[in-house]
Amino acid sequence: MKDVMRLPPELQPTNRRVEAFSDAVFAIAVTIMVLEIRVPDTLAFASDMAALEDFATLLAIYVLSFVVVGILWANHHYLVFTLPTSDRATIWLNNHVLFWVTMVPVVARFFGQHPTSPRATAAYAYVIMMCTFALTLLRRHAARVTENEVHRALHHRVFRRAWVAMALYAAAIPIAFMNIRISWALLLILPALFFLPVIRLQAAKDEVHRAMEHSRP
Amino acid sequence: MKDVMRLPPELQPTNRRVEAFSDAVFAIAVTIMVLEIRVPDTLAFASDMAALEDFATLLAIYVLSFVVVGILWANHHYLVFTLPTSDRATIWLNNHVLFWVTMVPVVARFFGQHPTSPRATAAYAYVIMMCTFALTLLRRHAARVTENEVHRALHHRVFRRAWVAMALYAAAIPIAFMNIRISWALLLILPALFFLPVIRLQAAKDEVHRAMEHSRP
Amino acid sequence: MKDVMRLPPELQPTNRRVEAFSDAVFAIAVTIMVLEIRVPDTLAFASDMAALEDFATLLAIYVLSFVVVGILWANHHYLVFTLPTSDRATIWLNNHVLFWVTMVPVVARFFGQHPTSPRATAAYAYVIMMCTFALTLLRRHAARVTENEVHRALHHRVFRRAWVAMALYAAAIPIAFMNIRISWALLLILPALFFLPVIRLQAAKDEVHRAMEHSRP
Amino acid sequence: MKDVMRLPPELQPTNRRVEAFSDAVFAIAVTIMVLEIRVPDTLAFASDMAALEDFATLLAIYVLSFVVVGILWANHHYLVFTLPTSDRATIWLNNHVLFWVTMVPVVARFFGQHPTSPRATAAYAYVIMMCTFALTLLRRHAARVTENEVHRALHHRVFRRAWVAMALYAAAIPIAFMNIRISWALLLILPALFFLPVIRLQAAKDEVHRAMEHSRP
């Protein structure tokens, strides 16, 4: 990596296109899921509780997947922002993230149509775990190449949380075959954790300020 | 919010990627609707009035949905333009807008295939109302964080119109079960209101000039 | 329009997002067409001349549509480049262009599946004509608001060609019902005309140089 | 080309939109492939080895296609970065690349559903070969119009490898009808070759340094 950084600037494109390509893949992954969500025709003029229940389940799993992809995108957004140039490692670690993001619609459909299947629940947990893992690999690269101590401190802070999330998603896989309700609970609670902003923001700020004091002595 | 604004610039990405991600979601939402619009095969060599009528209805609801998403995009365009940075609240209020925009193809398909169903009409009105509501929440955030009085004046001006639109979409929901024609009329008239530019432009300019006088004494 | 131009710069977003939204719609319109192009399963291990012929027709009409949308995009690219800001009229004349572009996959599918149907041929010609017409309306707006004489001269040059193209597409509609082969020929020849670069480039340059002499006396 | 370069800057848009349009097409091409990848319903609650095998094959060919499109995108990224303006030739050589990229989902689906079909294997090899060929034509144009010796040296370096790749993809076409396993091996090995970074990077750097010494005497 260090060697790549020494190439002349005319061989170092910025991250603009990595961002544009990623934004498009995230946007398509989140949007093509709705192609599967059809309001059942039987609901147009009559009450069909079974059809309504299937539709509500599919919709709920779409909402969950939308939130998960939204969290991944928000993390990706801040992460790529800290990367100065798009070297070869960045591009392929990023493509690795995008690959797992495109798998989300595949498992969301399977899970949405078979919500009581332990295998479907496990497959869904596995793909979200791999998305988080791929993003963590990209973040490790970002933490290594950056020369900005504030960014590095933030990356290290997020690592800890990411490993906790991955461990819980990994746990949800075998748990799905033992007690599927606990597995569902994990899939629901993990994104919700992301939305506890106050504590995290305060902690992040303290850490950032500490890092800033260290880097500007 | 105010606290977020005080973070150093290296922790504040611009809105460029929020815009790019949103543009892609809007564009896909508007375009995947055409995947459902198939010219009936029976129309290729013969006259089939029933098939033609179904196709014309589907096409008409696509045109309506294209205009509605176009109006939402145009509003979003000006709105995000007034937001200086992409803090956490901006990203998630924006994702909330995008979620409801991705619901438009779902209800457009249902409404397009069952135009005489009060439930389909109500579902369509509900989703458009929620799109407007989500955009209003984002606008409220924009009005709060901006330091530009001209932008704030414009936001406050649009609030009033947005609440009128939401109230009428909300009214269209129960009305669909009483007199579906009035509900259809509301769905058609509301976007048309947006295209009365002269009056609004003049009023907006007066208000902007008043705000500019206040802010540059 | 002139009035809009006098608004302060903080109320005038640039065309960046109009471009991004348009690029996404053009890209999706061109790409979702391939969702319809399935290599027939019967061709995997055996020769099935009928299936091959259907597939070849669908592929040929995809190639034609790709070229047509490519021409529209290239024109749109240069056209929006000449527009300094995105006022209300620009946005809605542009959305009008995008609407007709999203209709291309609809008629391409119908034409591809029923190539010998005069109605399908006419519908295809009609949509391409409307795309050209919508782009011409946007160009007329660009020619009106620009203060750059070189751009205006180029716009006026393209108008003449656009009207010829629209007249020939319009002619292809009734001709499809009289002699479908002539209609097909028109659909094939019109995009090909666009690829006679030398003559046009030379003429455009002469005209541009003339305009430049006039504007810099 | 040289003549085009002499046009005044107000007639020379940058490559920004060529990049944005291309990014969207690449992103959609890579993402719509997953629309075809459905986890078989029979796998939800039971073991169905035949369905699992079909699914695994489809998934494997999706992974291969994702990597191939990723390589094409990474090459396109660096290539367009070296192009200063978007002249007519750039746009149409680029559209030619995009056309073949949109063909990847078509042949990936055919190959994924009939992996043992020599014709499907050959069709897949043919489309990837044409993608590489189209990118090489664009690169030849870039090498011709650039005034940067470092870029030109890199382009000439890549040409040699591109011709080797094209020759091997071309060989995979007839080989598919003789010994399909060798053809599969070629399809798998060719992208893998791209991931031998050390040798190539060192060689590229030597060459770049040599070119820099020549251009700055």
Side-chain angles (χ1 to χ4, degrees):
Chain A
M1 281 318 106
K2 296 285 169 183
D3 286 348
V4 173
M5 307 305 277
R6 274 182 230 125
L7 282 175
E10 62 204 9
L11 292 173
Q12 294 184 52
T14 63
N15 279 322
R16 194 163 40 88
R17 280 194 69 190
V18 174
E19 292 178 351
F21 182 56
S22 306
D23 284 340
V25 172
F26 273 99
I28 302 160
V30 103
T31 319
I32 59 174
M33 279 191 273
V34 301
L35 286 175
E36 300 298 317
I37 305 174
R38 295 172 171 272
V39 187
D41 289 329
T42 50
L43 288 180
F45 294 101
S47 289
D48 176 344
M49 281 317 284
L52 183 63
E53 215 171 282
D54 285 356
F55 173 66
T57 307
L58 208 57
L59 198 63
I61 286 167
Y62 172 62
V63 173
L64 178 64
S65 306
F66 188 96
V67 171
V68 167
V69 175
I71 291 171
L72 292 166
W73 180 83
N75 272 291
H76 186 271
H77 176 201
Y78 283 111
L79 178 47
V80 176
F81 173 68
T82 69
L83 277 161
T85 51
S86 60
D87 54 35
R88 207 180 151 78
T90 301
I91 285 175
W92 284 101
L93 289 170
N94 189 57
N95 282 355
H96 183 227
V97 174
L98 299 182
F99 173 77
W100 288 106
V101 169
T102 65
M103 283 292 112
V104 174
V106 176
V107 290
R109 178 164 56 194
F110 189 48
F111 187 28
Q113 281 165 351
H114 307 284
T116 57
S117 156
R119 296 166 181 209
T121 311
Y124 190 81
Y126 175 71
V127 165
I128 308 297
M129 182 189 75
M130 290 308 293
C131 286
T132 314
F133 177 61
L135 205 62
T136 301
L137 288 185
L138 181 59
R139 192 180 295 281
R140 209 178 55 173
H141 176 64
R144 209 151 46 196
V145 299
T146 189
E147 291 171 6
N148 184 316
E149 285 306 315
V150 180
H151 288 163
R152 204 193 308 274
L154 268 178
H155 288 321
H156 281 287
R157 204 171 180 286
V158 180
F159 279 143
R160 272 170 270 162
R161 250 187 327 125
W163 285 111
V164 172
M166 278 187 267
L168 290 172
Y169 278 118
I173 297 170
I175 291 173
F177 294 90
M178 295 183 280
N179 185 330
I180 201 167
R181 280 164 199 281
I182 299 177
S183 197
W184 291 347
L186 279 171
L187 292 178
L188 279 175
I189 289 165
L190 276 165
L193 283 179
F194 183 81
F195 289 97
L196 298 171
V198 187
I199 308 156
R200 275 187 48 227
L201 194 61
Q202 199 46 51
K205 259 188 238 158
D206 292 352
E207 198 146 338
V208 162
H209 288 159
R210 238 174 298 135
M212 285 168 82
E213 276 161 30
H214 281 287
S215 65
R216 295 171 196 168
Chain B
M1 282 317 106
K2 295 284 169 184
D3 285 350
V4 174
M5 307 304 277
R6 273 181 232 124
L7 282 175
E10 61 205 10
L11 292 174
Q12 294 184 52
T14 63
N15 280 323
R16 194 163 41 88
R17 279 195 69 190
V18 174
E19 292 177 353
F21 182 56
S22 306
D23 284 339
V25 172
F26 273 99
I28 302 160
V30 103
T31 319
I32 59 174
M33 279 191 272
V34 302
L35 286 175
E36 300 298 317
I37 305 175
R38 296 173 172 272
V39 187
D41 289 328
T42 51
L43 287 179
F45 293 101
S47 288
D48 177 343
M49 280 318 283
L52 183 63
E53 215 171 283
D54 284 356
F55 173 67
T57 307
L58 208 57
L59 197 63
I61 286 167
Y62 172 62
V63 173
L64 177 64
S65 306
F66 188 97
V67 171
V68 166
V69 174
I71 291 171
L72 291 167
W73 179 83
N75 271 291
H76 186 271
H77 176 201
Y78 283 111
L79 177 47
V80 176
F81 172 68
T82 69
L83 277 161
T85 52
S86 61
D87 53 35
R88 206 180 151 77
T90 301
I91 285 175
W92 285 100
L93 290 171
N94 188 57
N95 282 355
H96 183 228
V97 174
L98 298 183
F99 173 77
W100 287 106
V101 169
T102 65
M103 282 291 113
V104 173
V106 175
V107 291
R109 179 165 53 195
F110 189 48
F111 187 28
Q113 281 164 353
H114 308 284
T116 56
S117 156
R119 296 167 180 207
T121 311
Y124 190 82
Y126 175 71
V127 165
I128 309 297
M129 183 189 73
M130 289 309 293
C131 286
T132 313
F133 177 62
L135 205 62
T136 301
L137 288 185
L138 180 60
R139 191 182 294 282
R140 209 179 54 173
H141 176 64
R144 208 150 49 193
V145 299
T146 188
E147 292 171 5
N148 184 316
E149 285 306 315
V150 180
H151 287 164
R152 203 192 309 273
L154 267 178
H155 287 323
H156 280 288
R157 202 167 183 286
V158 180
F159 279 144
R160 272 170 270 162
R161 248 186 329 126
W163 285 110
V164 172
M166 278 187 266
L168 290 172
Y169 277 118
I173 297 171
I175 291 173
F177 294 91
M178 295 184 282
N179 186 330
I180 201 166
R181 281 163 199 281
I182 299 176
S183 198
W184 290 346
L186 280 171
L187 292 179
L188 280 174
I189 289 165
L190 275 165
L193 283 179
F194 183 81
F195 288 97
L196 298 171
V198 187
I199 308 156
R200 276 186 48 227
L201 194 62
Q202 198 47 52
K205 259 188 238 160
D206 292 353
E207 199 147 337
V208 162
H209 289 158
R210 240 174 296 134
M212 286 168 81
E213 275 161 30
H214 282 288
S215 65
R216 296 171 196 168
Chain C
M1 283 318 105
K2 295 286 168 183
D3 285 351
V4 173
M5 307 305 275
R6 273 180 231 125
L7 282 174
E10 61 205 11
L11 293 173
Q12 294 185 52
T14 63
N15 280 322
R16 196 164 39 88
R17 280 194 70 190
V18 174
E19 291 177 352
F21 182 56
S22 306
D23 284 339
V25 171
F26 274 99
I28 303 160
V30 103
T31 320
I32 59 174
M33 279 191 273
V34 302
L35 285 175
E36 300 299 318
I37 305 175
R38 295 172 171 272
V39 187
D41 290 328
T42 50
L43 288 180
F45 293 101
S47 288
D48 177 342
M49 281 317 284
L52 183 63
E53 213 171 285
D54 284 358
F55 173 66
T57 306
L58 209 56
L59 198 63
I61 286 167
Y62 172 62
V63 173
L64 177 64
S65 305
F66 188 97
V67 171
V68 166
V69 174
I71 292 171
L72 291 166
W73 180 82
N75 271 291
H76 186 270
H77 176 202
Y78 283 111
L79 177 46
V80 176
F81 172 69
T82 69
L83 277 160
T85 52
S86 60
D87 53 35
R88 208 180 151 77
T90 300
I91 284 175
W92 284 101
L93 289 171
N94 188 57
N95 282 355
H96 183 228
V97 173
L98 298 183
F99 173 77
W100 287 106
V101 169
T102 65
M103 283 292 113
V104 173
V106 176
V107 290
R109 178 164 54 195
F110 189 47
F111 187 29
Q113 281 164 353
H114 308 283
T116 56
S117 155
R119 295 166 182 208
T121 311
Y124 190 82
Y126 175 71
V127 165
I128 309 297
M129 181 189 74
M130 289 308 293
C131 286
T132 313
F133 177 62
L135 205 62
T136 301
L137 289 185
L138 181 59
R139 191 181 295 281
R140 208 180 54 173
H141 176 63
R144 208 150 48 194
V145 299
T146 189
E147 291 172 4
N148 183 315
E149 285 305 315
V150 180
H151 288 163
R152 203 193 308 274
L154 267 178
H155 288 322
H156 281 288
R157 203 171 180 284
V158 180
F159 279 144
R160 273 171 268 160
R161 252 190 323 131
W163 286 111
V164 172
M166 278 187 266
L168 290 172
Y169 278 118
I173 297 171
I175 290 173
F177 295 91
M178 295 183 280
N179 185 331
I180 202 167
R181 281 163 199 281
I182 298 177
S183 198
W184 291 345
L186 279 171
L187 292 179
L188 280 173
I189 289 165
L190 276 166
L193 282 179
F194 183 80
F195 288 97
L196 297 172
V198 188
I199 307 156
R200 277 185 47 226
L201 195 61
Q202 199 46 51
K205 260 188 235 159
D206 293 352
E207 200 148 337
V208 162
H209 289 159
R210 238 174 297 134
M212 287 168 80
E213 276 162 30
H214 281 287
S215 66
R216 296 171 196 167
Chain D
M1 281 320 103
K2 294 286 167 182
D3 285 348
V4 173
M5 306 306 276
R6 275 181 228 125
L7 282 175
E10 61 205 10
L11 292 174
Q12 294 185 51
T14 64
N15 279 322
R16 194 162 42 86
R17 280 194 68 190
V18 173
E19 292 178 351
F21 182 56
S22 306
D23 284 339
V25 171
F26 273 99
I28 302 160
V30 103
T31 318
I32 59 175
M33 278 191 272
V34 302
L35 286 175
E36 300 298 318
I37 304 175
R38 294 170 172 272
V39 188
D41 290 328
T42 51
L43 287 180
F45 292 101
S47 288
D48 177 343
M49 282 316 285
L52 183 62
E53 213 171 285
D54 284 357
F55 173 66
T57 307
L58 208 57
L59 199 63
I61 285 167
Y62 172 62
V63 173
L64 177 64
S65 305
F66 189 96
V67 171
V68 166
V69 175
I71 291 171
L72 291 167
W73 180 82
N75 270 292
H76 187 270
H77 176 202
Y78 282 111
L79 177 47
V80 175
F81 172 69
T82 69
L83 276 161
T85 51
S86 60
D87 54 34
R88 207 180 151 78
T90 301
I91 286 174
W92 285 100
L93 290 170
N94 188 58
N95 282 356
H96 184 227
V97 173
L98 298 182
F99 173 77
W100 287 106
V101 169
T102 65
M103 283 291 112
V104 173
V106 176
V107 290
R109 178 164 55 193
F110 190 48
F111 187 28
Q113 282 165 351
H114 308 284
T116 57
S117 156
R119 294 166 182 211
T121 311
Y124 190 82
Y126 175 70
V127 165
I128 309 297
M129 182 190 75
M130 289 308 293
C131 286
T132 313
F133 177 61
L135 206 61
T136 302
L137 288 186
L138 181 59
R139 192 181 294 282
R140 210 180 53 174
H141 177 64
R144 207 150 48 195
V145 298
T146 189
E147 290 172 6
N148 184 316
E149 285 306 316
V150 181
H151 288 164
R152 203 193 308 272
L154 268 178
H155 289 322
H156 280 288
R157 210 180 171 280
V158 180
F159 279 143
R160 272 170 270 161
R161 251 189 324 129
W163 286 110
V164 172
M166 278 187 266
L168 290 171
Y169 277 118
I173 297 170
I175 290 173
F177 295 91
M178 295 184 280
N179 186 331
I180 202 168
R181 282 164 199 281
I182 299 177
S183 197
W184 291 345
L186 279 171
L187 292 178
L188 280 175
I189 289 164
L190 276 166
L193 283 178
F194 183 80
F195 288 97
L196 297 171
V198 188
I199 308 156
R200 275 186 49 226
L201 195 61
Q202 200 46 53
K205 260 188 237 159
D206 293 351
E207 197 147 340
V208 162
H209 289 160
R210 238 174 298 135
M212 286 168 80
E213 275 161 31
H214 280 288
S215 66
R216 296 170 196 169

